[in-house]
Amino acid sequence: MIVVLALLVFNRCKKDSTPANPTSNEILIGALLPLSTYDENLLGKTAMEFAVNDFNALMATAGNPIRLRLALEGTDSDSAKTVEAVTSLYNRGVRLLAGLPSSSMELGAIMTYINDHEMLMLNAYSTAPSLAIVGDNIFRLVTDDTKQSKAISKYLNFDGIEAVIVVWRNDNYGQGLSDAFIPDFEASGGNIINSVGYPVSTADFSSLAGNLNNQIILAKAQYGADKVGVCLFGFDESALMFEAALAQSDLATVQWYGCDGNAVLNDIATNPQTAGFAVQVNFTAPNVGIGTADFTPKNAAELSARIQQATGLQPNVNTLTAYDAVRIMGYCYLAADNLQISSMKNVLPQICASYNYLGISRELNDAGDLLNANYIFWRIEPVTGSTYDWNTYATYFADGEYIELKH
């Protein structure tokens, strides 16, 4: 599809050079990186650079003069700085944004700016249901958390968990996922012991861990340790929560579950203490699945290997999705043959519907988010000595809503 599309538009691009880029034929793709916070800065940047190089190589092979170039700004995972960063990109001439920012909090902070300034975003990370808005200029290549909540609830039922404490970061992502999960789990017969939010800026989780420990002691007495779980809906700060949990008497005696914000989090796996805790509590976290727990499509496996070789870090599905976002944005420009946001916005759903490079459908729903996807559940496992790694463990199949363990 990609080669055919490039060839179809080649003659048109030759005959009528793009008004927005009359001299250089260079299309700027903006991205907002969490420069000082966590691994997704390096992973996302590397994936998008690969996407630009691969797209440009394809254009060169097709004889097409169009080239993509990344324009990057840092956000420090801070809402105010994210607004400053997108303003800077706009002033640099950027109208197309792809891949990052990596949080719904940041994306929500710039949503109005993107719409008011006729920019177009194809995000690879944000899943907050509150950002699923029909007709806006923000599209997302991931399902919103109303889908993830069903997968987590189904997995807890599968694992025999009857009661949970939900711990969530207090932003539109954590609260949105918690608000979706709680009624799903209760509808399936589960019990919510407590739901606790923590400020995004939290760096010391000792007080929260102590309170959580007291609640777990009481819950174990009521339900039994094998029926009690902790759901941690957070990002990279989840590693700090694990460090605090290590100092408590009972937090390692029940099962822990995560979300797409802390699945395949390198900060947990590379620290022997936090990784050891994750193994002890069978920490299991889902992410949108490319393939299944048993099978990774060829292109996705090869791209993962390229990124890991370049960074030394294990990429997650959002990293791979950032790659897709850049390439899809390039194909949208080719199809629209101009940088008019209205034109590109019209063709974007059509391009996504036919794009399947990594082995996952990118078809969008009416709100401009990924229509549907399986979820793969991950666990940390020891490799050798004090070395740990994330591995696939189970698959939630959206069609049929059932869990299947890795064979």
Side-chain angles (χ1 to χ4, degrees):
M1 180 274 295
I2 294 168
V3 175
V4 170
L5 175 60
L7 292 175
L8 283 174
V9 301
F10 171 54
N11 288 332
R12 183 174 54 178
C13 289
K14 283 182 65 179
K15 294 175 183 177
D16 182 16
S17 60
T18 306
N21 293 271
T23 304
S24 66
N25 290 307
E26 186 175 74
I27 310 302
L28 292 175
I29 305 291
L32 300 160
L33 300 176
L35 294 177
S36 64
T37 51
Y38 66 120
D39 294 338
E40 203 54 56
N41 169 40
L42 179 58
L43 288 167
K45 179 174 179 288
T46 302
M48 290 186 293
E49 287 173 344
F50 283 157
V52 166
N53 293 339
D54 292 350
F55 180 91
N56 289 346
L58 180 63
M59 293 299 98
T61 300
N64 192 311
I66 297 301
R67 298 292 183 269
L68 301 182
R69 180 166 68 86
L70 285 179
L72 306 176
E73 290 283 346
T75 70
D76 291 337
S77 298
D78 177 83
S79 294
K81 290 183 179 180
T82 305
V83 175
E84 294 174 2
V86 77
T87 303
S88 176
L89 286 174
Y90 182 86
N91 291 336
R92 291 166 59 184
V94 173
R95 299 297 180 267
L96 307 179
L97 302 165
L100 295 106
S102 57
S103 74
S104 294
M105 177 184 69
E106 294 167 85
L107 186 59
I110 60 175
M111 176 178 61
T112 299
Y113 190 96
I114 289 173
N115 290 323
D116 289 349
H117 289 77
E118 281 298 295
M119 302 177 81
L120 185 65
M121 160 66 78
L122 185 56
N123 187 266
Y125 294 81
S126 166
T127 58
S130 60
L131 299 182
I133 300 171
V134 177
D136 68 353
N137 287 0
I138 295 175
F139 295 78
R140 301 186 291 183
L141 290 182
V142 286
T143 50
D144 74 57
D145 285 330
T146 59
K147 306 287 178 62
Q148 181 179 188
S149 68
K150 294 183 185 302
I152 297 172
S153 180
K154 181 64 70 171
Y155 185 84
L156 291 174
N157 294 151
F158 177 85
D159 224 18
I161 299 299
E162 295 180 0
V164 297
I165 298 175
V166 185
V167 182
W168 43 276
R169 59 183 278 131
N170 193 2
D171 63 3
N172 56 355
Y173 167 78
Q175 184 168 5
L177 178 54
S178 176
D179 288 347
F181 166 75
I182 289 173
D184 280 342
F185 187 58
E186 289 179 332
S188 70
N191 299 286
I192 301 298
I193 301 168
N194 198 4
S195 173
V196 183
Y198 59 86
V200 172
S201 60
T202 302
D204 182 355
F205 284 85
S206 55
S207 177
L208 176 57
N211 292 334
L212 186 60
N213 191 72
N214 294 334
Q215 295 175 52
I216 288 296
I217 292 172
L218 296 175
K220 286 167 58 179
Q222 181 176 357
Y223 297 98
D226 61 333
K227 303 296 183 183
V228 175
V230 176
C231 288
L232 177 58
F233 297 158
F235 288 165
D236 53 315
E237 73 277 359
S238 301
L240 299 176
M241 180 70 226
F242 281 11
E243 290 178 3
L246 284 165
Q248 300 298 323
S249 62
D250 282 66
L251 292 186
T253 64
V254 297
Q255 305 272 78
W256 283 59
Y257 303 88
C259 58
D260 61 355
N262 47 35
V264 201
L265 183 63
N266 286 286
D267 283 354
I268 295 176
T270 56
N271 181 329
Q273 285 190 314
T274 56
F277 178 82
V279 171
Q280 189 172 357
V281 300
N282 292 322
F283 183 64
T284 310
N287 213 333
V288 170
I290 298 179
T292 68
D294 289 290
F295 169 72
T296 302
K298 180 176 180 292
N299 285 350
E302 291 179 352
L303 178 59
S304 292
R306 287 171 66 191
I307 296 171
Q308 188 156 5
Q309 183 177 16
T311 64
L313 300 171
Q314 185 174 8
N316 57 44
V317 70
N318 303 98
T319 309
L320 305 186
T321 302
Y323 174 94
D324 271 358
V326 170
R327 291 189 63 158
I328 289 172
M329 197 65 86
Y331 301 137
C332 286
Y333 173 79
L334 293 176
D337 197 19
N338 61 66
L339 273 177
Q340 295 298 320
I341 296 304
S342 58
S343 299
M344 293 193 63
K345 184 176 174 180
N346 286 335
V347 301
L348 194 152
Q350 303 167 38
I351 300 298
C352 287
S354 60
Y355 182 95
N356 195 347
Y357 177 73
L358 294 180
I360 179 174
S361 170
R362 295 303 187 186
E363 184 177 1
L364 305 177
N365 62 19
D366 291 341
D369 300 334
L370 190 66
L371 177 64
N372 206 14
N374 298 333
Y375 281 82
I376 294 177
F377 285 83
W378 296 75
R379 279 188 177 180
I380 288 181
E381 298 176 357
V383 180
T384 55
S386 60
T387 304
Y388 298 82
D389 206 356
W390 287 93
N391 284 292
T392 58
Y393 183 74
T395 307
Y396 167 78
F397 290 91
D399 292 336
E401 298 186 359
Y402 64 96
I403 299 290
E404 184 177 281
L405 293 179
K406 184 176 181 179
H407 295 107

